[in-house]
Amino acid sequence: MPEPLSTHTERIAACQQRLLGFLRVRVKDNAAAQDLAQETWAEVWEHVETYDPERGSFWTFTKIWAEFVLRRHWEEARRQPIPIGETTDLFRDAHRESADADLPAAATGDSDRPLWGTASRPTASEQWIDTAAGLLELLCRAASCTRPPHEVVAFGFNRLDWTPREIVHELAGSVLKDLTARLETEYAALAPLPTLHVAFCPLRSKMSSRLGDLVRDPRTRRVYANVLEHTIGETTLREYLPADGRPEDAIVRWWDSVKREVIKEILAAGRGPLFERAHWKMRQG
Amino acid sequence: MTPDQELGHATPDELLDYFEAKLPDERERVIEEHLAVCNACTQTARQVFSLHEVWNRWTARAHGEVYARDRLRAAIAQAEQQTTNPLWRERLRAWRLRWAGRAEAALRLATETSAEVSRAAAETLDALTRPGSVLVFAPVRQAGPVRGEATEQQRSAVLSTTLRPGHPRARVVVEAGQSGTVTVRVDEVRPGETAPLVLLSGMTATRTAVLQVKEVEPQPGVAYAIARFDDLPPGEYVLAFEPLES
């Protein structure tokens, strides 16, 4: 027997604030969030008879429709051309940024200038415009982050679409020095940026260090006590895998550690194309 | 729980957990309801979400595709500056501003010539194609690697497409040799119909940059129009078609 409409009205009222919070952080401004909330409620109301409390909470049902509305919104934005007149600055900047991205910092004579160039100024079309400089920033930050190098190397193969299982089964026996060289070669084959060798430089240079000289965190030192005195480039990935538990889970944890460190570093640095991109979104709120 | 968390405020780490759906249901609910009313947390969460999205889309392949778009955008800008045809300059400008390094269709062309072999290859570049493009090239014949004396077939690669439903067909023929050619032929261009500009950019095997723009031009006495890039040294090129939308 269908539930009375008043029950659904109460459920909707209970989820309204939560839905707005869910949408606010996923779109560029509050007005867009309000519009999408309206669209979501229209969809929910239209399909409310299909809601079955035995299959999940009303919030889960609402979120499915919110995600549908969001995907439609992003897809529509992606199809839109950029209105002429609104983008001249963006493309002037993006063009300069792209040109900068081809030059190593050393070549410009400005050692303080980051390798990935100047900040971009995104527009409403940013969902399908991410400049190569932004991704180069991620690569540079990942390659130079303070996570142990084996985590970064394993993460690099993730960006080449390797699964944890493939990494464990096919790469675990290789030394990190060889894996780093292979990673760089295969990345360059897919993304032939002129500055790629500079981006990989920090990771490459760590291969001749002892792990104990790079890792200061006491907990990490305890975990890898057996390899602290080894030269990093001569160690194999297998030496870092835990004796107990699934090795694939360890690989996923390493990837996650690198991601968290890089994202927090970008937020803390307060500069660079990616920070500017995120900050621009913030200002629209 | 910190005092901030008791108030519902979330740390960047917790926001990352939130976007990765790793939080307990109750904490997720508290954070979402808090985000509806707290501007400071919403600002931080938008930054984290933006970075999280870019991170998840980042692969070496995606990086290469974005880089290719940057390069095409730069090539269009350079062609715009170099052309002496004011109408072309305006069309190139509109292309650059409106489509940000995307084309109606784009092909990667490669030609190679040595004492033993001449070969040509062509493939579509989906990463450079604009959303909603109506130009989809289908390979008709593709030259494979050959050894020994090259035949006429092995020295060329052909791709063809229909420009729009009910509109002319386009055909690209790449011929390798010491002086190669790329011919873009559009059949049955109707009077008054604008055919797209075609931009060819790339690098010769001896590392010389090449950048040319042509318009397909009607040929006397026949029903098709042609743009022809002659005397191309062996190398790797991108051939991009101006977007057709008005």
Side-chain angles (χ1 to χ4, degrees), chain B:
Chain B
M1 189 174 276
T2 66
D4 262 4
Q5 284 173 317
E6 280 173 16
L7 290 170
H9 296 308
T11 62
D13 256 331
E14 205 172 20
L15 288 168
L16 270 172
D17 281 339
Y18 166 70
F19 288 118
E20 289 171 0
K22 288 179 178 170
L23 286 180
D25 289 348
E26 182 54 21
R27 183 66 189 150
E28 187 177 290
R29 183 190 63 76
V30 169
I31 286 182
E32 281 169 340
E33 289 183 351
H34 177 73
L35 289 170
V37 293
C38 178
N39 287 333
C41 281
T42 297
Q43 288 171 353
T44 308
R46 280 187 184 143
Q47 286 183 320
V48 172
F49 179 64
S50 172
L51 294 172
H52 167 79
E53 288 286 291
V54 174
W55 187 277
N56 287 350
R57 284 205 305 271
W58 170 33
T59 61
R61 186 177 302 281
H63 200 165
E65 289 175 352
V66 171
Y67 180 63
R69 286 201 285 276
D70 278 359
R71 305 267 301 197
L72 178 57
R73 190 163 57 209
I76 297 167
Q78 195 182 340
E80 187 188 329
Q81 288 184 348
Q82 286 178 0
T83 184
T84 53
N85 181 327
L87 189 59
W88 285 15
R89 185 177 302 127
E90 194 49 44
R91 285 168 67 178
L92 288 163
R93 180 174 177 275
W95 181 2
R96 177 174 60 83
L97 292 181
R98 202 166 170 83
W99 289 108
R102 304 263 186 161
E104 193 68 27
L107 311 174
R108 178 186 286 125
L109 316 174
T111 60
E112 183 184 341
T113 296
S114 68
E116 295 158 349
V117 63
S118 280
R119 60 184 176 184
E123 62 177 1
T124 54
L125 277 173
D126 293 341
L128 297 182
T129 305
R130 76 170 177 94
S133 165
V134 294
L135 264 182
V136 182
F137 277 89
V140 173
R141 193 175 68 219
Q142 185 88 15
V146 292
R147 292 192 180 282
E149 193 66 25
T151 67
E152 185 58 32
Q153 281 193 349
Q154 290 159 337
R155 287 179 52 226
S156 66
V158 181
L159 292 104
S160 75
T161 186
T162 301
L163 285 176
R164 275 174 283 192
H167 283 254
R169 287 182 64 78
R171 181 178 154 95
V172 175
V173 180
V174 188
E175 290 172 69
Q178 285 301 339
S179 295
T181 58
V182 173
T183 309
V184 178
R185 173 175 145 169
V186 177
D187 294 336
E188 298 165 19
V189 176
R190 296 166 190 173
E193 189 166 64
T194 306
L197 292 176
V198 187
L199 181 144
L200 184 136
S201 67
M203 198 69 82
T204 68
T206 53
R207 310 296 296 164
T208 304
V210 172
L211 177 64
Q212 293 182 35
V213 181
K214 305 264 178 177
E215 187 175 36
V216 286
E217 292 176 352
Q219 305 296 301
V222 290
Y224 52 81
I226 279 183
R228 195 176 157 96
F229 300 89
D230 287 316
D231 299 325
L232 283 175
E236 287 195 18
Y237 305 98
V238 168
L239 188 73
F241 285 71
E242 177 191 13
L244 291 166
E245 48 78 48
S246 53

Side-chain angles (χ1 to χ4, degrees), chain A residues 16-38:
Chain A
Q16 263 179 341
Q17 184 173 337
R18 187 171 183 183
L19 176 66
L20 189 59
F22 174 85
L23 292 169
R24 273 183 93 189
V25 297
R26 287 169 169 81
V27 295
K28 65 177 183 175
D29 58 42
N30 295 339
Q34 296 278 7
D35 289 347
L36 293 180
Q38 293 295 330

